[in-house]
Amino acid sequence: MADFQLQDKAPTGASRRRFDPWLVGAAVFFVAAAAFSAAPALKAGPTTLAGLLLLLGVAGVSILGLVAIKGSGAVASDADQAEGFLDALSEPAALAAADGRLLAANPAWREVMGEQRRLPKGVAGSSLFAALVQARKGQMAEGVLRASGVDHTAKVSRLAGGRLLIRLTPIVPVEAVAELSIPAPLVERAAPPPSSLDAFAGASPFGAALLDGAEPFKSRILETNPALTTMTGAQAGGVFGDLIDPNSRAEAETRLNEGRAGPFEVRLARDASRIAHLYLYRADGRVVAYMIDVSEQKQMELQLAQAQKMQAIGQLAGGVAHDFNNLLTAIQLRLDELLHRHPVGDPSYEGLNEIRQTGVRAADLVRKLLAFSRKQTVQREVLDLGELISEFEVLLRRLLREDVKLITDYGRDLPQVRADKSQLETAVMNLAVNARDAVRAAKGGGVVRIRTARLTRDEAIQLGFPAADGDTAFIEVSDDGPGIPPDVMGKIFDPFFTTKPVGEGTGLGLATVYGIVKQSDGWIHVHSRPGEGAAFRIFLPVHEPSPAALVAAEAAAAEPPKPRAARDLSGAGRILFVEDEDAVRSVAARLLRARGYEVLEAADGEEALIIAEENAGTIDLLISDVIMPGIDGPTLLKKARGYLGTAPVMFISGYAEAEFSDLLEGETGVTFLPKPIDIKTLAERVKQQLQAA
């Protein structure tokens, strides 16, 4: 149709057939063209073959043309009948094609929608096009059509030939008071009540259910999709609230009654460890519920929170240990001085020695804190995994006592690792002692098993190391005790957390193990089930030595050992000693002077820089703390290097060397001595540095 203007009406109300000038003109020109085409054939006579064929072709084209003209007339007649039907309707009505083109409309429609040739798109007609799709399936559908700022309910039905009849009725607005009185935790839309889940919800990877009733947790399930059945075991006819854990269901109902919008976080009744987000959509007495399993997401959030908590505690422990190391250094240096004045046989020697032993225990506690915070000084060396555990096994058997049996299982082709030997032994010992205490407390004795192996990437992932890349060294310490309760599992690596009675254990064992493994670039995983024991699995990177390192190791092994020189802690030289802790600096300087050294003291980096400038070229050794107010140790070295020349430098600190080693790139002749220190160790290192220079 050229347009969709309605036909004129006769005074009697009967419809007249529309006069179409284009159709008449096309018929006239077609008849003339057929006559002109037949003229040569009639002139030549039909007796010739060419003339006969031409006449037959013209006759065929004429017949087809007449059929087409008749069909156009029939279509026009059908359109006229449809327009007559639309005019008989009092409400706005229109006839539309499946693609949204308007074929005909009555005056009431044009008054509401204007002279549009298509149904509106965008926000105004989004709901209507959904109804058109449903109507094409043969169902009666409803949608919302907006025109001139007013919403109309559009009822869509399918007619013969695939055409769609659309009728509009205005939506009466609800009073404001009534709207405020309705709680809105559910999504409310002007849409028909759903009769079933659509194809999208049925095939979706998240759960969906159609509920019969306005109260979601008390409604019965009409239909579910396979995802919800797999997740919760839901079946048609059951109560939807029974799928949810009672405690979380009560909380969700409270939030729903308070008018809060979703999603609601619920736990599943089938497995309370599974967590889901619940979304609700209400439409005329029915509710569609969508449930998305977020258990893995919640687990990752908990792991991230745990990692952040451990990091914060580690930073706190490292800071406390650093300050405590300064105090211990001052105590130990002062004790060295007093013990020199009160040797064995002096009445004061026994008391001073007890203080020294207490200081050693305090230093061990600080080392554990630093190990947990991963700031302990590491002296890495290449270790054979089998030899390490084999040598350590003798000590472990004495620790575990007679009522606990130790079983060691050495795998084949055990790899080498690069780690601190004493730290790794401490980690294995702490795990073995914890296993011993667990089996003795539960049943008076049991079995502790230590297993070592070389794992492939797939084996490491299967045993609990998700980031495995290539071969991995593996150490497992397990027991046959009661296992670790689930409510305790998330706290076992926290410092000072312990389940032992008061006075038994400091609660730093597993925290120390955690820090040692992480500082060794490894991974630790705990596998435990109540009643089946616990297994702590340590994964360490495999060390593959280079050919040059192998040659150097063979040469060093073939070289005969040199006789050890006698210990002479005296010496000569000018030392610049920089330390912000007065007690440490004054005692250390006094003890070094007693051994023949000239010591220049500085309380901070700025003062040390001035002294270095005044004594340029005459300083033989710089001893400096790392962390100081103002200019720190590495910055002081860079600024004073021009005054020091090639003099060696020794840093002392309670922090690990790795914490500041990146600040010393390009520097040579730099060594590190961890706190707490005693005078013998300090004097030995000073003499070694001066002799090497």
Side-chain angles (χ1 to χ4, degrees):
M1 296 177 62
D3 55 33
F4 52 90
Q5 297 292 335
L6 296 182
Q7 61 190 8
D8 297 332
K9 294 286 181 179
T12 60
S15 63
R16 295 198 314 254
R17 188 180 186 84
R18 178 188 299 176
F19 175 75
D20 192 341
W22 295 100
L23 187 61
V24 175
V28 171
F29 279 103
F30 177 75
V31 172
F36 293 154
S37 300
L42 293 174
K43 184 177 181 180
T47 57
T48 64
L49 179 61
L52 182 60
L53 292 176
L54 182 59
L55 285 175
L56 290 175
V58 170
V61 170
S62 301
I63 293 172
L64 291 175
L66 292 175
V67 171
I69 293 172
K70 183 178 179 182
S72 299
V75 171
S77 177
D78 291 343
D80 291 342
Q81 292 178 3
E83 290 181 356
F85 170 73
L86 294 177
D87 282 347
L89 299 176
S90 59
E91 69 270 20
L95 194 66
D99 59 357
R101 291 181 296 107
L102 288 176
L103 303 177
N106 62 3
W109 175 281
R110 289 197 297 272
E111 182 179 351
V112 173
M113 303 299 299
E115 298 293 336
Q116 299 184 30
R117 298 179 180 274
R118 300 187 64 88
L119 294 173
K121 298 181 178 180
V123 178
S126 59
S127 177
L128 176 61
F129 274 89
L132 294 179
V133 173
Q134 189 174 357
R136 283 203 300 268
K137 300 178 182 179
Q139 302 176 3
M140 186 70 177
E142 289 187 2
V144 178
L145 184 63
R146 177 175 288 272
S148 302
V150 179
D151 288 340
H152 297 78
T153 299
K155 297 182 179 180
V156 186
S157 55
R158 186 170 179 265
L159 301 180
R163 293 172 296 176
L164 302 171
L165 175 64
I166 305 172
R167 294 176 295 164
L168 302 182
T169 55
I171 298 177
V172 180
V174 182
E175 295 182 1
V177 175
E179 183 178 357
L180 291 175
S181 63
I182 300 176
L186 305 179
V187 179
E188 300 285 354
R189 295 174 183 263
S195 59
S196 64
L197 295 175
D198 56 20
F200 173 77
S204 64
F206 51 83
L210 179 62
L211 312 179
D212 186 16
E215 297 294 333
F217 300 105
K218 300 178 181 178
S219 302
R220 293 203 169 270
I221 302 173
L222 296 178
E223 184 180 354
T224 66
N225 68 346
L228 185 66
T229 302
T230 303
M231 186 191 312
T232 64
Q235 297 292 337
V239 178
F240 181 73
D242 294 342
L243 306 179
I244 302 171
D245 181 72
N247 294 330
S248 61
R249 181 176 69 235
E251 183 179 353
E253 284 181 326
T254 301
R255 290 185 58 194
L256 188 65
N257 295 332
E258 291 175 352
R260 298 185 184 181
F264 305 103
E265 187 173 296
V266 297
R267 291 186 177 272
L268 304 183
R270 192 181 202 180
D271 183 1
S273 64
R274 308 296 294 180
I275 302 174
H277 279 174
L278 176 63
Y279 297 82
L280 300 172
Y281 162 79
R282 177 187 291 162
D284 291 348
R286 287 187 178 176
V287 174
V288 179
Y290 300 100
M291 192 174 288
I292 302 175
D293 191 341
V294 294
S295 302
E296 294 184 3
Q297 175 186 338
K298 286 294 179 182
Q299 183 66 24
M300 292 177 63
E301 291 176 357
L302 290 175
Q303 291 177 354
L304 177 60
Q306 178 73 3
Q308 291 175 340
K309 180 182 70 173
M310 298 287 281
Q311 182 180 5
I313 296 176
Q315 290 176 348
L316 174 63
V320 171
H322 173 261
D323 293 339
F324 196 31
N325 263 331
N326 282 333
L327 300 177
L328 284 176
T329 300
I331 293 172
Q332 289 188 356
L333 291 176
R334 179 66 72 177
L335 278 171
D336 289 337
E337 186 179 25
L338 292 174
L339 286 171
H340 183 71
R341 297 177 185 174
H342 305 277
V344 178
D346 189 281
S348 302
Y349 176 80
E350 184 177 352
L352 293 175
N353 192 51
E354 289 180 1
I355 296 174
R356 184 183 182 87
Q357 294 301 322
T358 304
V360 170
R361 291 177 57 192
D364 182 63
L365 177 62
V366 172
R367 279 193 295 271
K368 290 181 178 180
L369 286 173
L370 287 173
F372 164 71
S373 61
R374 288 176 259 171
K375 294 181 179 179
Q376 186 182 19
T377 302
V378 178
Q379 297 177 353
R380 296 192 180 185
E381 56 183 307
V382 178
L383 304 171
D384 185 273
L385 193 60
E387 292 180 1
L388 173 70
I389 303 300
S390 178
E391 294 174 359
F392 192 52
E393 183 180 351
V394 179
L395 175 61
L396 286 178
R397 290 191 183 278
R398 286 200 295 264
L399 286 174
L400 299 185
R401 302 181 184 178
E402 295 79 5
D403 53 356
V404 178
K405 183 179 180 181
L406 175 64
I407 299 177
T408 53
D409 182 6
Y410 299 97
R412 296 181 179 179
D413 190 24
L414 292 178
Q416 290 183 330
V417 296
R418 190 169 182 272
D420 187 300
K421 183 178 180 180
S422 63
Q423 279 195 347
L424 207 53
E425 288 177 346
T426 300
V428 176
M429 181 181 67
N430 284 343
L431 294 178
V433 169
N434 279 349
R436 177 202 68 187
D437 294 342
V439 297
R440 293 187 69 198
K443 51 185 181 180
V447 177
V448 175
R449 184 184 300 271
I450 300 178
R451 183 163 69 102
T452 58
R454 176 194 286 266
L455 302 180
T456 63
R457 176 180 177 274
D458 294 338
E459 290 173 339
I461 292 175
Q462 185 177 2
L463 288 175
F465 185 16
D469 185 13
D471 287 0
T472 304
F474 177 71
I475 305 174
E476 181 185 63
V477 180
S478 59
D479 61 69
D480 60 348
I484 303 175
D487 57 332
V488 175
M489 184 69 75
K491 306 175 184 178
I492 58 175
F493 291 116
D494 291 358
F496 307 110
F497 175 80
T498 180
T499 57
K500 298 178 182 178
V502 177
E504 297 185 15
T506 62
L508 281 174
L510 292 179
T512 302
V513 173
Y514 178 86
I516 290 173
V517 173
K518 290 297 183 180
Q519 199 169 21
S520 302
D521 302 325
W523 178 270
I524 185 168
H525 174 74
V526 185
H527 175 75
S528 176
R529 292 180 180 176
E532 298 182 8
F536 287 81
R537 297 165 179 170
I538 297 175
F539 304 86
L540 297 173
V542 173
H543 175 71
E544 300 291 349
S546 61
L550 292 175
V551 173
E554 292 176 359
E559 198 173 302
K562 297 180 181 180
R564 189 172 183 182
R567 298 180 65 184
D568 181 10
L569 301 182
S570 62
R574 176 175 286 183
I575 301 173
L576 175 56
F577 199 101
V578 189
E579 170 63 60
D580 61 312
E581 190 70 35
D582 294 338
V584 175
R585 184 184 68 255
S586 60
V587 177
R590 184 165 61 251
L591 293 175
L592 288 174
R593 290 191 187 102
R595 282 157 178 78
Y597 299 103
E598 180 185 354
V599 182
L600 304 175
E601 298 182 44
D604 52 44
E606 289 83 355
E607 184 180 353
L609 195 58
I610 295 173
I611 296 175
E613 184 179 2
E614 294 174 349
N615 298 271
T618 64
I619 296 176
D620 300 309
L621 174 65
L622 170 65
I623 302 177
S624 174
D625 193 8
V626 176
I627 307 299
M628 298 182 294
I631 300 177
D632 58 16
T635 305
L636 169 63
L637 175 58
K638 293 182 182 298
K639 292 186 176 183
R641 177 53 83 181
Y643 310 125
L644 299 174
T646 58
V649 179
M650 182 167 62
F651 284 114
I652 57 175
S653 178
Y655 285 115
E657 184 179 1
E659 291 293 307
F660 59 89
S661 58
D662 57 335
L663 303 176
L664 299 173
E665 292 183 3
E667 296 292 342
T668 57
V670 179
T671 59
F672 178 76
L673 182 63
K675 293 180 180 178
I677 56 178
D678 56 62
I679 188 57
K680 290 184 179 180
T681 305
L682 179 61
E684 285 179 352
R685 292 291 295 272
V686 167
K687 189 165 186 177
Q688 290 174 3
Q689 294 299 311
L690 291 176
Q691 287 179 345

